[in-house]
Amino acid sequence: QGQLAESGGGSVQTGGSLRLSCAASGVTYTWNCMAWFRQAPGKEREGVAAMDTRNTGTYFGDDVKDRFTISQDNGKNTVYLQMNGLRPEDTGMYYCAFRFGWRCGPWWAQSRLYDIWGQGTQVTVSS
């Protein structure tokens, strides 16, 4: 059980940056895979980035690997997504998700495996 709340979305120009935050509350597991997903209208949800609370490794989608960074603030139980060099194709609703009790692995981009989701925060990038 728990709750996730995303923030930090907005509208930016091509090449701009945003930092998304996902604040977790009520999560009792100490080892979790934490991930960011996004979804554009008419498209399926896709994995953006993931890491676990033990920082065993990070995972990125091919389209964002060189531009995005995922990190955590353990003191505030928050996971961040730093997005640089934004492009119009990055536009979409961004969601954070936790899978309880797991380190991240090759399955990380399979959305059905996650236990809880945030409400999403909109990111719009104009050309």
Side-chain angles (χ1 to χ4, degrees):
Q1 294 184 344
Q3 184 176 14
L4 305 178
E6 303 98 334
S7 62
S11 298
V12 299
Q13 295 179 331
T14 297
S17 298
L18 287 172
R19 189 178 76 159
L20 307 184
S21 299
C22 175
S25 61
V27 177
T28 59
Y29 293 83
T30 58
W31 195 322
N32 308 293
C33 181
M34 309 175 293
W36 287 94
F37 289 78
R38 67 186 181 188
Q39 188 168 24
K43 296 184 178 180
E44 295 183 348
R45 188 169 297 183
E46 64 175 343
V48 178
M51 67 176 296
D52 60 54
T53 52
R54 299 295 183 94
N55 196 26
T56 61
T58 57
Y59 299 82
F60 296 94
D62 290 341
D63 291 342
V64 308
K65 184 177 181 179
D66 298 327
R67 300 180 292 120
F68 291 9
T69 301
I70 187 169
S71 61
Q72 67 178 335
D73 181 345
N74 289 323
K76 296 184 178 180
N77 202 18
T78 302
V79 59
Y80 302 99
L81 183 70
Q82 178 67 46
M83 305 185 295
N84 299 320
L86 285 164
R87 306 164 180 168
E89 53 263 42
D90 295 317
T91 294
M93 186 72 74
Y94 283 68
Y95 303 88
C96 63
F98 277 33
R99 188 180 188 187
F100 299 141
W102 286 78
R103 59 175 289 183
C104 298
W107 49 264
W108 72 272
Q110 300 180 55
S111 61
R112 63 182 177 84
L113 297 179
Y114 289 82
D115 296 300
I116 58 171
W117 293 80
Q119 295 293 313
T121 184
Q122 179 68 36
V123 172
T124 302
V125 185
S126 60
S127 61

